[in-house]
Amino acid sequence: MLSGIAGSLLTKPVVVTIHNMDITAHELGITRAVNSYLIKNNQEGYIQAVPMGVPVDHLNLVRNGVDTCVFNPGLNGGFA
């Protein structure tokens, strides 16, 4: 929230990353109030954001991921 306010005062873009499944009214309110960009790490939250009023050009989906060529829990304790 503080970075969003600072960004607004300094007219600098702000990126918000929310790491939970749902977007709360509080998070949405801050995002919209400071006109920040929103990054979600799951499809469900991304899909929720658009009808809640987050502009598509201010929204991005960056999935969490694991490189299974490097990490495989069944091999050598996890690492290739």
Side-chain angles (χ1 to χ4, degrees):
M1 183 166 84
L2 292 176
S3 63
I5 294 169
S8 291
L9 292 173
L10 298 170
T11 62
K12 299 290 181 184
V14 175
V15 175
V16 176
T17 305
I18 301 173
H19 290 274
N20 55 351
M21 295 296 286
D22 297 321
I23 298 175
T24 67
H26 179 72
E27 294 162 339
L28 179 65
I30 293 168
T31 300
R32 292 176 70 193
V34 300
N35 196 30
S36 66
Y37 291 79
L38 178 64
I39 297 173
K40 286 299 295 174
N41 67 340
N42 60 71
Q43 185 74 32
E44 182 177 338
Y46 180 87
I47 291 170
Q48 286 179 347
V50 175
M52 292 176 83
V54 177
V56 175
D57 61 336
H58 280 210
L59 181 62
N60 205 334
L61 175 63
V62 178
R63 290 183 167 87
N64 292 329
V66 174
D67 185 346
T68 57
C69 292
V70 175
F71 179 77
N72 186 325
L75 301 174
N76 302 325
F79 294 95

Coordinates of all heavy atoms in Angstrom, one line a residue:
M1 N 0.8 -1.2 0.0 CA 0.0 0.0 0.0 C 0.9 1.3 0.0 O 0.6 2.2 -0.7 CB -0.9 0.0 1.2 CG -1.9 1.2 1.2 SD -3.2 1.0 2.4 CE -2.5 1.5 3.9
L2 N 1.9 1.2 0.8 CA 2.8 2.4 0.9 C 3.5 2.7 -0.4 O 3.7 3.8 -0.8 CB 3.8 2.3 2.0 CG 3.2 2.3 3.4 CD1 4.3 2.0 4.5 CD2 2.5 3.6 3.7
S3 N 3.9 1.6 -1.1 CA 4.6 1.8 -2.4 C 3.7 2.4 -3.4 O 4.1 3.2 -4.2 CB 5.3 0.5 -2.9 OG 4.3 -0.4 -3.1
G4 N 2.4 2.0 -3.3 CA 1.4 2.5 -4.3 C 1.2 4.0 -4.1 O 1.1 4.8 -5.0
I5 N 1.1 4.4 -2.8 CA 0.9 5.8 -2.5 C 2.2 6.6 -2.9 O 2.1 7.7 -3.5 CB 0.7 6.0 -1.0 CG1 -0.7 5.4 -0.6 CG2 0.7 7.5 -0.6 CD1 -1.0 5.3 0.8
A6 N 3.4 6.1 -2.6 CA 4.6 6.7 -3.0 C 4.7 6.9 -4.5 O 5.1 7.9 -5.1 CB 5.8 6.0 -2.5
G7 N 4.3 5.8 -5.2 CA 4.3 5.8 -6.7 C 3.4 6.9 -7.2 O 3.7 7.6 -8.2
S8 N 2.2 7.0 -6.6 CA 1.3 8.0 -7.1 C 1.8 9.4 -6.8 O 1.7 10.3 -7.7 CB -0.1 7.8 -6.3 OG -0.7 6.7 -6.7
L9 N 2.4 9.6 -5.7 CA 2.9 11.0 -5.4 C 4.1 11.3 -6.3 O 4.3 12.5 -6.6 CB 3.4 11.0 -3.9 CG 2.2 11.0 -2.9 CD1 2.8 10.8 -1.5 CD2 1.3 12.2 -3.0
L10 N 4.9 10.4 -6.6 CA 6.1 10.6 -7.5 C 5.8 10.4 -9.0 O 6.7 10.5 -9.8 CB 7.2 9.7 -7.0 CG 7.7 9.9 -5.6 CD1 8.7 8.8 -5.2 CD2 8.4 11.3 -5.5
T11 N 4.6 10.1 -9.3 CA 4.1 9.7 -10.6 C 5.0 8.7 -11.3 O 5.5 8.8 -12.4 CB 4.0 11.0 -11.6 OG1 5.3 11.6 -11.7 CG2 3.0 12.0 -11.0
K12 N 5.3 7.6 -10.5 CA 6.1 6.5 -11.0 C 5.1 5.3 -11.0 O 4.3 5.1 -10.2 CB 7.3 6.2 -10.1 CG 8.2 7.3 -10.0 CD 9.0 7.5 -11.3 CE 10.0 8.6 -11.2 NZ 10.7 8.9 -12.4
P13 N 5.3 4.4 -12.0 CA 4.5 3.2 -12.1 C 4.8 2.2 -10.9 O 6.0 2.2 -10.5 CB 4.8 2.6 -13.4 CG 6.1 3.2 -13.9 CD 6.2 4.5 -13.2
V14 N 3.8 1.5 -10.5 CA 4.0 0.6 -9.4 C 3.4 -0.7 -9.8 O 2.4 -0.8 -10.5 CB 3.2 1.1 -8.1 CG1 3.2 0.1 -7.0 CG2 3.7 2.5 -7.7
V15 N 4.1 -1.8 -9.4 CA 3.7 -3.2 -9.7 C 3.3 -3.8 -8.4 O 4.1 -3.7 -7.4 CB 4.8 -4.0 -10.4 CG1 4.3 -5.4 -10.6 CG2 5.1 -3.3 -11.7
V16 N 2.1 -4.5 -8.4 CA 1.7 -5.2 -7.2 C 1.6 -6.7 -7.5 O 1.1 -7.0 -8.5 CB 0.3 -4.7 -6.8 CG1 -0.3 -5.5 -5.6 CG2 0.3 -3.2 -6.4
T17 N 2.2 -7.5 -6.6 CA 2.1 -8.9 -6.8 C 1.4 -9.5 -5.6 O 1.8 -9.3 -4.5 CB 3.5 -9.6 -6.9 OG1 4.3 -8.9 -7.9 CG2 3.5 -11.0 -7.2
I18 N 0.3 -10.2 -5.9 CA -0.6 -10.8 -4.9 C -0.4 -12.3 -5.0 O -0.7 -12.9 -6.1 CB -2.0 -10.3 -5.1 CG1 -2.1 -8.8 -5.0 CG2 -2.9 -11.0 -4.0 CD1 -3.5 -8.2 -5.3
H19 N 0.0 -12.9 -4.0 CA 0.4 -14.4 -4.0 C -0.7 -15.3 -3.4 O -0.4 -16.3 -2.9 CB 1.7 -14.6 -3.3 CG 2.9 -14.1 -4.1 ND1 3.5 -14.7 -5.1 CD2 3.5 -12.9 -4.0 CE1 4.5 -14.0 -5.5 NE2 4.5 -12.9 -4.9
N20 N -1.9 -14.8 -3.3 CA -3.0 -15.7 -2.9 C -3.9 -16.1 -4.0 O -3.8 -15.5 -5.1 CB -3.7 -15.1 -1.7 CG -4.2 -13.8 -2.0 OD1 -4.0 -13.2 -3.0 ND2 -5.0 -13.2 -1.1
M21 N -4.8 -17.0 -3.8 CA -5.7 -17.5 -4.8 C -6.7 -16.4 -5.2 O -7.0 -16.2 -6.4 CB -6.4 -18.7 -4.4 CG -5.5 -19.9 -4.3 SD -4.7 -20.4 -5.8 CE -6.0 -21.2 -6.6
D22 N -7.3 -15.7 -4.3 CA -8.3 -14.8 -4.5 C -7.8 -13.3 -4.4 O -6.9 -13.1 -3.6 CB -9.5 -15.0 -3.6 CG -10.2 -16.3 -3.8 OD1 -10.3 -16.8 -4.9 OD2 -10.5 -16.9 -2.7
I23 N -8.5 -12.4 -5.0 CA -8.2 -11.0 -4.8 C -9.2 -10.4 -3.8 O -10.4 -10.6 -4.0 CB -8.3 -10.2 -6.1 CG1 -7.3 -10.8 -7.1 CG2 -8.1 -8.7 -5.9 CD1 -7.4 -10.1 -8.5
T24 N -8.7 -9.8 -2.7 CA -9.6 -9.3 -1.7 C -10.1 -7.9 -2.1 O -9.4 -7.2 -3.0 CB -9.0 -9.2 -0.3 OG1 -7.9 -8.3 -0.4 CG2 -8.5 -10.6 0.1
A25 N -11.1 -7.4 -1.6 CA -11.6 -6.0 -1.9 C -10.5 -5.0 -1.5 O -10.4 -4.0 -2.1 CB -12.9 -5.8 -1.1
H26 N -9.8 -5.3 -0.4 CA -8.8 -4.4 0.1 C -7.7 -4.3 -1.0 O -7.2 -3.2 -1.3 CB -8.2 -4.9 1.4 CG -7.1 -4.0 2.0 ND1 -7.3 -2.8 2.5 CD2 -5.8 -4.3 2.1 CE1 -6.2 -2.3 2.9 NE2 -5.2 -3.2 2.7
E27 N -7.2 -5.4 -1.4 CA -6.1 -5.4 -2.4 C -6.6 -4.8 -3.7 O -5.8 -4.0 -4.3 CB -5.7 -6.9 -2.7 CG -5.0 -7.5 -1.6 CD -5.0 -9.0 -1.7 OE1 -5.8 -9.6 -2.4 OE2 -4.1 -9.6 -1.0
L28 N -7.8 -5.1 -4.1 CA -8.3 -4.5 -5.4 C -8.5 -3.0 -5.2 O -8.1 -2.2 -6.1 CB -9.7 -5.1 -5.7 CG -10.4 -4.5 -6.9 CD1 -9.5 -4.8 -8.2 CD2 -11.8 -5.0 -7.1
G29 N -8.9 -2.5 -4.1 CA -9.1 -1.1 -3.8 C -7.8 -0.3 -3.9 O -7.7 0.7 -4.5
I30 N -6.7 -0.9 -3.3 CA -5.4 -0.3 -3.4 C -4.9 -0.2 -4.8 O -4.4 0.8 -5.3 CB -4.4 -1.0 -2.5 CG1 -4.8 -0.8 -1.0 CG2 -3.0 -0.5 -2.7 CD1 -4.0 -1.8 -0.1
T31 N -5.0 -1.4 -5.5 CA -4.6 -1.4 -6.9 C -5.3 -0.4 -7.8 O -4.6 0.3 -8.6 CB -4.9 -2.9 -7.5 OG1 -4.1 -3.8 -6.7 CG2 -4.4 -3.0 -8.9
R32 N -6.6 -0.3 -7.6 CA -7.3 0.7 -8.4 C -7.0 2.1 -8.0 O -7.0 3.0 -8.8 CB -8.8 0.4 -8.4 CG -9.1 -1.0 -9.1 CD -10.5 -1.4 -9.0 NE -11.3 -0.5 -9.8 CZ -12.6 -0.5 -9.7 NH1 -13.3 -1.3 -8.9 NH2 -13.3 0.3 -10.5
A33 N -6.9 2.4 -6.7 CA -6.7 3.7 -6.2 C -5.4 4.3 -6.7 O -5.4 5.5 -7.0 CB -6.8 3.7 -4.7
V34 N -4.4 3.5 -6.7 CA -3.1 4.1 -7.1 C -2.7 3.7 -8.6 O -1.7 4.0 -9.1 CB -1.9 3.6 -6.2 CG1 -2.2 4.0 -4.8 CG2 -1.8 2.1 -6.3
N35 N -3.7 3.1 -9.3 CA -3.5 2.8 -10.7 C -2.3 2.0 -11.0 O -1.5 2.2 -11.9 CB -3.5 4.1 -11.6 CG -3.7 3.8 -13.0 OD1 -4.4 2.9 -13.4 ND2 -3.1 4.6 -13.9
S36 N -2.1 1.0 -10.1 CA -0.9 0.1 -10.2 C -1.1 -1.0 -11.2 O -2.2 -1.3 -11.6 CB -0.5 -0.4 -8.9 OG -1.5 -1.3 -8.4
Y37 N 0.0 -1.6 -11.6 CA -0.1 -2.8 -12.4 C -0.2 -4.0 -11.4 O 0.4 -4.0 -10.3 CB 1.2 -2.9 -13.3 CG 1.2 -1.9 -14.3 CD1 1.6 -0.6 -14.0 CD2 0.8 -2.2 -15.6 CE1 1.6 0.4 -15.0 CE2 0.8 -1.2 -16.6 CZ 1.2 0.0 -16.3 OH 1.2 1.0 -17.3
L38 N -0.9 -5.1 -11.8 CA -1.1 -6.2 -11.0 C -0.6 -7.5 -11.6 O -0.8 -7.7 -12.8 CB -2.6 -6.4 -10.7 CG -3.1 -7.5 -9.9 CD1 -2.6 -7.4 -8.5 CD2 -4.6 -7.6 -9.9
I39 N 0.2 -8.2 -10.8 CA 0.8 -9.5 -11.3 C 0.1 -10.5 -10.4 O 0.2 -10.5 -9.2 CB 2.3 -9.5 -11.2 CG1 2.9 -8.5 -12.1 CG2 2.8 -10.9 -11.5 CD1 4.4 -8.4 -11.9
K40 N -0.5 -11.5 -11.0 CA -1.0 -12.7 -10.3 C -0.2 -13.9 -10.7 O 0.3 -14.0 -11.8 CB -2.5 -12.9 -10.7 CG -3.5 -11.9 -10.1 CD -3.5 -12.0 -8.6 CE -4.0 -13.3 -8.1 NZ -3.9 -13.4 -6.7
N41 N -0.1 -14.8 -9.7 CA 0.7 -16.0 -10.0 C -0.2 -17.3 -10.1 O 0.3 -18.4 -10.1 CB 1.7 -16.3 -8.8 CG 1.0 -16.6 -7.5 OD1 -0.1 -16.3 -7.3 ND2 1.8 -17.2 -6.6
N42 N -1.5 -17.0 -10.3 CA -2.4 -18.2 -10.6 C -3.6 -17.7 -11.5 O -4.0 -16.5 -11.5 CB -3.0 -18.8 -9.3 CG -3.7 -17.7 -8.5 OD1 -4.8 -17.4 -8.8 ND2 -3.1 -17.3 -7.4
Q43 N -4.1 -18.6 -12.3 CA -5.1 -18.4 -13.3 C -6.4 -17.9 -12.6 O -7.0 -17.0 -13.1 CB -5.4 -19.6 -14.1 CG -6.4 -19.4 -15.2 CD -5.7 -18.7 -16.4 OE1 -4.5 -18.8 -16.7 NE2 -6.5 -17.9 -17.1
E44 N -6.8 -18.4 -11.5 CA -8.0 -18.1 -10.8 C -8.0 -16.6 -10.4 O -9.0 -15.9 -10.7 CB -8.2 -18.9 -9.6 CG -9.5 -18.6 -8.9 CD -9.8 -19.5 -7.7 OE1 -9.2 -20.6 -7.6 OE2 -10.5 -19.1 -6.8
G45 N -7.0 -16.1 -9.8 CA -6.9 -14.7 -9.4 C -6.9 -13.8 -10.7 O -7.5 -12.7 -10.7
Y46 N -6.2 -14.2 -11.7 CA -6.1 -13.4 -12.9 C -7.5 -13.3 -13.5 O -7.9 -12.2 -13.9 CB -5.2 -14.1 -13.9 CG -5.0 -13.4 -15.2 CD1 -4.1 -12.4 -15.4 CD2 -5.8 -13.8 -16.3 CE1 -3.9 -11.8 -16.6 CE2 -5.7 -13.1 -17.5 CZ -4.7 -12.1 -17.7 OH -4.6 -11.5 -18.9
I47 N -8.3 -14.4 -13.6 CA -9.6 -14.4 -14.2 C -10.5 -13.5 -13.3 O -11.4 -12.8 -13.8 CB -10.2 -15.8 -14.3 CG1 -9.4 -16.5 -15.4 CG2 -11.6 -15.8 -14.6 CD1 -9.7 -18.0 -15.5
Q48 N -10.3 -13.5 -12.0 CA -11.2 -12.7 -11.1 C -10.9 -11.2 -11.3 O -11.8 -10.4 -11.2 CB -10.9 -13.0 -9.6 CG -11.4 -14.3 -9.1 CD -11.0 -14.5 -7.7 OE1 -10.2 -13.8 -7.1 NE2 -11.7 -15.4 -7.1
A49 N -9.7 -10.8 -11.6 CA -9.3 -9.4 -11.6 C -10.0 -8.6 -12.7 O -10.4 -7.5 -12.5 CB -7.8 -9.3 -11.8
V50 N -10.2 -9.2 -13.9 CA -10.8 -8.4 -15.0 C -12.2 -8.0 -14.7 O -12.5 -6.8 -14.8 CB -10.7 -9.3 -16.3 CG1 -11.4 -8.5 -17.4 CG2 -9.3 -9.5 -16.7
P51 N -13.1 -8.9 -14.3 CA -14.5 -8.4 -14.0 C -14.6 -7.5 -12.8 O -15.5 -6.8 -12.6 CB -15.3 -9.7 -13.8 CG -14.4 -10.8 -13.6 CD -13.1 -10.3 -14.2
M52 N -13.5 -7.5 -12.0 CA -13.5 -6.7 -10.8 C -13.0 -5.3 -11.1 O -12.9 -4.4 -10.2 CB -12.6 -7.3 -9.7 CG -13.2 -8.5 -9.1 SD -12.2 -9.3 -7.9 CE -12.6 -8.4 -6.4
G53 N -12.6 -5.0 -12.4 CA -12.3 -3.7 -12.8 C -10.8 -3.4 -13.0 O -10.4 -2.3 -13.3
V54 N -9.9 -4.4 -13.0 CA -8.5 -4.2 -13.2 C -8.4 -4.2 -14.8 O -8.7 -5.2 -15.4 CB -7.6 -5.3 -12.6 CG1 -6.2 -5.1 -13.0 CG2 -7.8 -5.3 -11.1
P55 N -7.9 -3.1 -15.4 CA -7.7 -3.1 -16.8 C -6.8 -4.2 -17.3 O -5.7 -4.4 -16.7 CB -7.1 -1.7 -17.1 CG -7.3 -0.9 -15.8 CD -7.4 -1.9 -14.7
V56 N -7.1 -4.8 -18.4 CA -6.3 -5.9 -18.9 C -4.9 -5.5 -19.2 O -3.9 -6.2 -19.0 CB -6.9 -6.5 -20.2 CG1 -6.1 -7.6 -20.8 CG2 -8.3 -7.1 -19.9
D57 N -4.7 -4.2 -19.6 CA -3.3 -3.7 -19.9 C -2.5 -3.4 -18.6 O -1.4 -3.1 -18.7 CB -3.4 -2.5 -20.8 CG -4.1 -1.3 -20.2 OD1 -5.0 -1.5 -19.4 OD2 -3.8 -0.2 -20.7
H58 N -3.2 -3.6 -17.4 CA -2.5 -3.4 -16.2 C -2.4 -4.7 -15.4 O -2.2 -4.8 -14.2 CB -3.2 -2.4 -15.3 CG -2.9 -1.0 -15.7 ND1 -3.0 0.0 -14.7 CD2 -2.6 -0.4 -16.8 CE1 -2.6 1.2 -15.3 NE2 -2.4 0.9 -16.6
L59 N -2.6 -5.8 -16.1 CA -2.7 -7.1 -15.5 C -1.8 -8.1 -16.2 O -1.8 -8.1 -17.4 CB -4.2 -7.6 -15.5 CG -4.5 -9.0 -14.9 CD1 -4.2 -9.0 -13.4 CD2 -6.0 -9.3 -15.2
N60 N -1.1 -9.0 -15.4 CA -0.3 -10.0 -16.0 C -0.3 -11.2 -15.1 O -0.5 -11.2 -13.9 CB 1.2 -9.5 -16.1 CG 2.0 -10.1 -17.2 OD1 1.7 -11.3 -17.5 ND2 3.0 -9.5 -17.6
L61 N -0.1 -12.4 -15.8 CA -0.1 -13.7 -15.1 C 1.3 -14.2 -15.3 O 1.8 -14.4 -16.4 CB -1.1 -14.6 -15.8 CG -1.1 -16.0 -15.2 CD1 -1.5 -16.1 -13.8 CD2 -2.1 -16.9 -16.1
V62 N 2.0 -14.4 -14.1 CA 3.3 -15.1 -14.1 C 3.2 -16.3 -13.1 O 3.1 -16.1 -11.9 CB 4.4 -14.1 -13.6 CG1 5.8 -14.8 -13.5 CG2 4.5 -12.9 -14.5
R63 N 3.1 -17.4 -13.7 CA 2.9 -18.6 -12.9 C 4.2 -19.0 -12.2 O 5.3 -18.8 -12.7 CB 2.5 -19.8 -13.9 CG 1.2 -19.6 -14.4 CD 0.8 -20.9 -15.3 NE -0.6 -20.9 -15.6 CZ -1.1 -20.3 -16.7 NH1 -0.4 -19.6 -17.5 NH2 -2.4 -20.4 -16.9
N64 N 4.0 -19.6 -11.0 CA 5.1 -20.2 -10.3 C 5.5 -21.4 -11.1 O 4.6 -22.1 -11.6 CB 4.7 -20.6 -8.9 CG 4.4 -19.4 -8.0 OD1 5.0 -18.3 -8.2 ND2 3.5 -19.5 -7.1
G65 N 6.7 -21.8 -11.0 CA 7.1 -22.9 -11.8 C 8.4 -23.6 -11.3 O 9.2 -23.0 -10.6
V66 N 8.6 -24.8 -11.6 CA 9.7 -25.6 -11.3 C 10.3 -26.2 -12.6 O 9.5 -26.8 -13.3 CB 9.4 -26.7 -10.2 CG1 10.6 -27.6 -10.0 CG2 8.9 -26.1 -9.0
D67 N 11.6 -26.1 -12.8 CA 12.2 -26.7 -14.0 C 12.4 -28.2 -13.6 O 13.3 -28.5 -12.8 CB 13.5 -26.0 -14.3 CG 14.2 -26.6 -15.5 OD1 13.7 -27.7 -16.0 OD2 15.1 -25.9 -16.0
T68 N 11.5 -29.1 -14.2 CA 11.6 -30.5 -13.8 C 12.8 -31.2 -14.4 O 13.1 -32.3 -14.1 CB 10.3 -31.2 -14.3 OG1 10.1 -31.0 -15.7 CG2 9.1 -30.7 -13.5
C69 N 13.5 -30.5 -15.3 CA 14.8 -31.0 -15.8 C 15.9 -30.9 -14.8 O 16.8 -31.6 -14.7 CB 15.2 -30.4 -17.1 SG 14.1 -30.7 -18.5
V70 N 15.7 -29.9 -13.9 CA 16.7 -29.6 -12.8 C 16.3 -30.3 -11.5 O 17.1 -30.8 -10.8 CB 16.9 -28.1 -12.7 CG1 17.9 -27.8 -11.5 CG2 17.5 -27.5 -13.9
F71 N 15.0 -30.2 -11.2 CA 14.5 -30.7 -9.9 C 13.5 -31.8 -10.2 O 12.5 -31.6 -10.9 CB 13.8 -29.6 -9.1 CG 13.3 -30.1 -7.8 CD1 14.1 -30.3 -6.8 CD2 11.9 -30.3 -7.7 CE1 13.6 -30.8 -5.5 CE2 11.4 -30.7 -6.5 CZ 12.2 -31.0 -5.4
N72 N 13.7 -32.9 -9.7 CA 12.8 -34.1 -9.8 C 12.9 -34.8 -8.5 O 13.9 -35.5 -8.2 CB 13.2 -35.0 -11.0 CG 12.2 -36.1 -11.2 OD1 11.7 -36.6 -10.3 ND2 12.1 -36.5 -12.5
P73 N 11.8 -34.8 -7.7 CA 11.9 -35.4 -6.3 C 12.2 -36.9 -6.3 O 12.6 -37.4 -5.3 CB 10.5 -35.1 -5.8 CG 9.8 -34.2 -6.7 CD 10.6 -34.1 -7.9
G74 N 12.0 -37.6 -7.4 CA 12.3 -39.0 -7.5 C 13.7 -39.4 -7.8 O 14.1 -40.5 -7.7
L75 N 14.5 -38.4 -8.2 CA 15.9 -38.7 -8.6 C 16.9 -38.0 -7.7 O 16.8 -36.8 -7.4 CB 16.1 -38.2 -10.0 CG 15.2 -38.8 -11.1 CD1 15.5 -38.1 -12.4 CD2 15.5 -40.3 -11.2
N76 N 17.9 -38.8 -7.2 CA 19.0 -38.2 -6.4 C 18.6 -37.2 -5.4 O 19.3 -36.2 -5.2 CB 20.0 -37.6 -7.4 CG 20.5 -38.6 -8.4 OD1 20.7 -39.8 -8.1 ND2 20.7 -38.1 -9.6
G77 N 17.6 -37.5 -4.6 CA 17.2 -36.5 -3.6 C 16.6 -35.2 -4.1 O 16.4 -34.3 -3.4
G78 N 16.3 -35.2 -5.4 CA 15.6 -34.0 -5.9 C 16.3 -33.3 -7.0 O 15.7 -32.6 -7.9
F79 N 17.6 -33.3 -7.1 CA 18.3 -32.5 -8.1 C 19.0 -33.4 -9.1 O 19.6 -34.4 -8.8 CB 19.4 -31.6 -7.4 CG 18.7 -30.5 -6.6 CD1 18.5 -30.7 -5.2 CD2 18.2 -29.4 -7.2 CE1 17.9 -29.8 -4.5 CE2 17.6 -28.4 -6.4 CZ 17.4 -28.6 -5.0
A80 N 18.9 -33.0 -10.4 CA 19.5 -33.8 -11.4 C 21.0 -33.6 -11.5 O 21.5 -32.6 -11.2 CB 18.8 -33.5 -12.8

